Amino acid sequence: MESLLELKRLGGRVRITEDNDVLTRMEDGDDYETYWVGEISLSGELVPPEDPQYSIPLQPDGVEPGDLWPSVYDGAKYSFGPGVDRIWWANPQTHKDHPVQDSLEPELVNSLARYKPRGGSLRVTPWNDVLTLVDLDRLPQDTRDEFDALPRVVKNLIALRRERGGVRKLPIYVGQIQKTPLSVAEPRSLTDPFDEQGGVDSWLDSLGESSATNPKDHTVDDPTGNATHDDGPDIPDDDPTDW
């Protein structure tokens, strides 16, 4: 708390990574900078001060892959592509994608691919639990009964995400990462040395035949009907950082 108050005299929000590092963001001109505050080992419950009887455990027990997450949806944020063929961390300052170098457990990969076949984002809690947001139509039918059984605090957290961030999805548990923290590499740069991969001729042959294309093939339509350029990864933006 002392370290946080040195940075933010009035306090403020923090995020806790999968390795128990505490981070906070501070305004720097028109942008934000991320600062390391310290380390913390969380345990116990989230206790609403106005009514402690509705406390919820920070690390729930007895959840299985596909179950609704009955606690706080937070942690270190990563993204993954279709089929979980690649995983990366998006740097909020540089907006560059840093590839994750570690491999996930096969069971975890299967769960992510099952519930998020197009890819998306995931959160890793300080206890290595992996969470993601899923559309209702990709959940089992009995999930609706699970939602009715969620603590009212969790239901209200989900409602806040919908009202403030437009997130119309539900958090589910998909498994655990056994080894943390995850390691990320530097993003590829256009000024990196060119890898010829066995020679220029074989590399050129691997590109295949070329043909003329229509500029319209390089645009997609947004919900308003306006054409937009698709410059980023083809994954749903299903977990905004701020809400």
Side-chain angles (χ1 to χ4, degrees), residues 1 9 18 27 38 62 72-74 79 93-94 107 119-120 128 139 144 150 159 171 175 179 197 212 216 222 227:
M1 289 303 300
R9 183 172 57 86
E18 77 275 19
E27 287 188 56
V72 180
Y73 178 84
D74 206 358
S79 300
Q93 267 73 51
T94 64
E107 296 83 1
N128 298 358
L139 293 173
R144 298 180 184 274
L150 287 176
K179 182 181 178 182
Q197 302 181 9
K216 292 183 179 180
D222 67 13

XYZ file of all heavy atoms in Angstrom, residues 1 9 18 27 38 62 72-74 79 93-94 107 119-120 128 139 144 150 159 171 175 179 197 212 216 222 227:
207
model
N 0.824 -1.198 0.000
C 0.000 0.000 0.000
C 0.863 1.256 0.000
O 0.537 2.243 -0.657
C -0.931 -0.021 1.231
C -2.039 -1.058 1.146
S -3.092 -0.853 -0.317
C -3.721 0.803 -0.052
N -1.369 9.148 -4.788
C -1.609 9.636 -3.435
C -3.007 9.293 -2.936
O -3.223 9.050 -1.754
C -1.394 11.143 -3.390
C -1.534 11.778 -2.019
C -1.119 13.233 -2.046
N -1.893 13.998 -3.018
C -3.082 14.553 -2.750
N -3.611 14.402 -1.543
N -3.731 15.239 -3.663
N -0.067 -13.275 -13.152
C -0.007 -14.678 -12.757
C 1.205 -14.984 -11.878
O 1.281 -16.058 -11.285
C 0.000 -15.582 -14.000
C 1.328 -15.659 -14.744
C 1.511 -14.538 -15.744
O 0.818 -13.512 -15.648
O 2.362 -14.685 -16.629
N -1.294 8.326 -15.786
C -1.348 9.183 -16.962
C 0.022 9.783 -17.251
O 0.737 10.198 -16.356
C -2.361 10.309 -16.760
C -3.804 9.843 -16.819
C -4.769 11.011 -16.808
O -4.635 11.893 -17.686
O -5.627 11.051 -15.917
N 4.800 -3.738 -6.666
C 5.378 -4.693 -5.722
C 4.806 -6.068 -5.969
O 4.320 -6.357 -7.057
N -13.557 -26.470 -6.696
C -14.522 -27.366 -7.328
C -15.014 -26.961 -8.693
O -16.034 -27.486 -9.143
N -14.100 -13.126 -9.114
C -13.656 -11.946 -9.849
C -12.973 -12.365 -11.143
O -12.108 -13.246 -11.139
C -12.685 -11.110 -8.987
C -12.216 -9.885 -9.746
C -13.364 -10.705 -7.688
N -13.369 -11.748 -12.256
C -12.744 -12.024 -13.547
C -11.623 -11.016 -13.753
O -11.864 -9.852 -14.089
C -13.778 -11.909 -14.669
C -13.213 -12.132 -16.058
C -13.061 -13.414 -16.552
C -12.822 -11.061 -16.845
C -12.535 -13.624 -17.814
C -12.300 -11.256 -18.106
C -12.161 -12.542 -18.584
O -11.630 -12.740 -19.831
N -10.385 -11.436 -13.524
C -9.258 -10.520 -13.646
C -7.974 -11.328 -13.725
O -7.964 -12.537 -13.589
C -9.221 -9.558 -12.450
C -8.531 -8.244 -12.796
O -8.053 -8.114 -13.938
O -8.478 -7.361 -11.927
N -3.756 -12.989 -25.546
C -4.639 -13.265 -26.672
C -4.163 -14.517 -27.397
O -2.987 -14.888 -27.308
C -4.660 -12.078 -27.646
O -5.124 -10.905 -27.011
N 1.289 0.025 -24.381
C 2.012 1.256 -24.685
C 2.418 1.327 -26.167
O 2.222 2.322 -26.833
C 3.257 1.384 -23.808
C 3.042 2.176 -22.533
C 2.214 1.393 -21.514
O 2.516 0.248 -21.213
N 1.175 2.004 -20.980
N 3.014 0.238 -26.667
C 3.526 0.236 -28.041
C 2.518 -0.323 -29.043
O 2.709 -0.170 -30.240
C 4.810 -0.597 -28.122
O 4.501 -1.978 -27.813
C 5.851 -0.087 -27.125
N -4.618 -30.199 -22.481
C -5.996 -30.121 -22.015
C -6.506 -28.683 -22.058
O -7.665 -28.422 -22.414
C -6.112 -30.668 -20.591
C -5.772 -32.151 -20.449
C -4.270 -32.386 -20.339
O -3.506 -31.381 -20.350
O -3.863 -33.561 -20.258
N -10.632 -17.878 -31.647
C -9.624 -17.182 -30.862
C -10.263 -16.109 -30.009
O -11.480 -15.927 -29.990
N -9.427 -15.371 -29.297
C -9.931 -14.328 -28.408
C -8.895 -13.993 -27.365
O -7.695 -14.007 -27.631
N -2.979 -19.134 -11.184
C -2.768 -19.862 -12.448
C -4.050 -20.417 -13.056
O -3.997 -21.246 -13.966
C -1.750 -21.000 -12.279
C -0.376 -20.495 -11.886
O -0.151 -19.301 -11.769
N 0.553 -21.407 -11.666
N -22.157 -22.315 -24.876
C -22.137 -22.945 -23.561
C -23.171 -24.060 -23.488
O -24.196 -24.026 -24.169
C -22.421 -21.904 -22.478
C -21.342 -20.832 -22.294
C -21.829 -19.776 -21.322
C -20.041 -21.441 -21.807
N -27.162 -22.077 -18.040
C -28.171 -21.104 -17.595
C -28.568 -21.359 -16.140
O -28.794 -20.428 -15.372
C -29.388 -21.149 -18.519
C -29.057 -20.784 -19.955
C -30.270 -20.845 -20.855
N -29.892 -20.581 -22.234
C -29.799 -19.375 -22.773
N -30.078 -18.312 -22.022
N -29.449 -19.203 -24.027
N -25.116 -18.415 -9.366
C -23.959 -17.578 -9.060
C -24.271 -16.636 -7.900
O -25.408 -16.193 -7.726
C -23.561 -16.751 -10.285
C -22.880 -17.467 -11.439
C -22.648 -16.485 -12.593
C -21.559 -18.087 -11.008
N -22.909 -7.812 -14.849
C -23.791 -6.751 -15.337
C -23.023 -5.455 -15.558
O -23.265 -4.730 -16.536
C -24.929 -6.528 -14.347
N -18.004 -15.196 -18.115
C -16.675 -15.757 -17.828
C -16.776 -17.229 -17.450
O -17.617 -17.626 -16.642
C -16.195 -14.915 -16.638
C -17.448 -14.504 -15.938
C -18.504 -14.349 -17.006
N -9.252 -24.060 -17.313
C -8.169 -24.923 -16.868
C -7.110 -24.158 -16.110
O -7.317 -23.020 -15.692
N 2.978 -23.944 -15.215
C 4.250 -23.243 -15.037
C 4.080 -21.776 -15.382
O 3.726 -21.418 -16.496
C 5.336 -23.856 -15.930
C 6.705 -23.218 -15.757
C 7.722 -23.855 -16.692
C 9.085 -23.170 -16.556
N 10.084 -23.753 -17.498
N 15.678 -18.935 -45.194
C 15.081 -20.256 -45.061
C 15.538 -21.218 -46.162
O 14.751 -21.780 -46.900
C 13.552 -20.156 -45.052
C 13.002 -19.270 -43.942
C 11.491 -19.232 -43.952
O 10.847 -19.974 -44.672
N 10.920 -18.370 -43.144
N -3.652 -10.802 -59.886
C -4.234 -9.498 -59.583
C -5.379 -9.658 -58.600
O -6.114 -10.644 -58.623
C -4.725 -8.835 -60.867
N -11.261 -4.294 -53.008
C -12.354 -4.579 -52.091
C -12.113 -5.863 -51.299
O -12.707 -6.072 -50.244
C -13.665 -4.696 -52.866
C -14.135 -3.375 -53.468
C -15.478 -3.548 -54.151
C -15.973 -2.226 -54.736
N -17.280 -2.389 -55.414
N -18.071 -3.242 -41.332
C -18.428 -3.197 -39.920
C -19.947 -3.221 -39.805
O -20.659 -3.190 -40.801
C -17.806 -1.969 -39.242
C -18.390 -0.658 -39.742
O -19.437 -0.700 -40.414
O -17.789 0.391 -39.457
N -17.035 0.207 -44.967
C -15.860 -0.631 -45.184
C -14.724 -0.153 -44.302
O -14.469 1.028 -44.167
C -15.433 -0.569 -46.652
